[in-house]
Amino acid sequence: MKRFLSQAGLAAALLGAFLGCSSTSASGSSGKKITLLKPVNQTVKRGDTNKVAITIVRENIDSDVSVRFDNLPKGVKVIETDKKVKDDEFLVNYTLFAANDAGLVSGQVVKVTAEGPDGLAATESFEVTVKE
C-alpha cells in the first residue's frame, strides 16, 4: 500500500511540475526528503470558507508531517489547527475561514510550511484574497 501511495505522490509531483507548479524541497540524512508543492491562490468571501489543497511528497520518511500557515490576513484562520498529513497521505485539504469582519485584501502572500522529522521543513507561498 505504501508503495502505491509513494508512486501516487510522485505522480502528483510530476503532474505539478508538468503544469508549471513550483515546489520546495528539503533534504536530510539517510536520503530523507520532503517536497511541498505550491498551493493554488485562494479567494474567500467574508463569513465563508475555502479549501486549500496541500500536496507533500516524501522520500524515506514514514511519519506524519505538520503543516503551518503564516501571515494569514486579519480575521482569516485555518479551521484544522492540529491536522497533520498522515504517513500514508500526500494530499490533504485545509479549510480557510474568513470572519465577517476579516480584512479586505487582494493577493496577500501567505506562507505554508511542511515540517517533517529531523528538522526537515519546506516552505511555499500562495496568495489569499478576501472579498465582501
Side-chain angles (χ1 to χ4, degrees):
M1 180 72 165
K2 283 202 185 249
R3 182 180 195 144
F4 169 75
L5 290 172
S6 176
Q7 290 172 346
L10 179 60
L14 291 173
L15 179 61
F18 176 74
L19 295 175
C21 297
S22 68
S23 64
T24 300
S25 297
S27 299
S29 62
S30 303
K32 292 181 181 178
K33 183 176 180 182
I34 187 170
T35 301
L36 172 65
L37 271 62
K38 178 182 178 6
V40 175
N41 294 340
Q42 304 292 311
T43 299
V44 61
K45 292 182 180 180
R46 283 179 166 172
D48 209 352
T49 61
N50 203 25
K51 300 279 186 187
V52 57
I54 302 299
T55 305
I56 295 172
V57 180
R58 300 173 182 86
E59 292 179 32
N60 299 314
I61 297 174
D62 292 328
S63 60
D64 296 352
V65 173
S66 299
V67 175
R68 183 181 77 241
F69 293 83
D70 294 306
N71 199 38
L72 287 165
K74 180 182 174 195
V76 175
K77 67 179 183 177
V78 176
I79 300 293
E80 306 87 354
T81 56
D82 294 327
K83 186 176 188 177
K84 294 185 178 191
V85 182
K86 303 280 186 210
D87 68 340
D88 61 347
E89 299 173 319
F90 66 92
L91 186 140
V92 173
N93 286 310
Y94 286 81
T95 308
L96 298 180
F97 170 71
N100 290 329
D101 61 350
L104 297 174
V105 297
S106 179
Q108 180 165 324
V109 177
V110 173
K111 293 187 183 242
V112 60
T113 301
E115 299 173 325
D118 304 328
L120 285 178
T123 301
E124 272 292 340
S125 60
F126 65 101
E127 295 179 2
V128 173
T129 297
V130 178
K131 294 187 172 186
E132 189 63 52

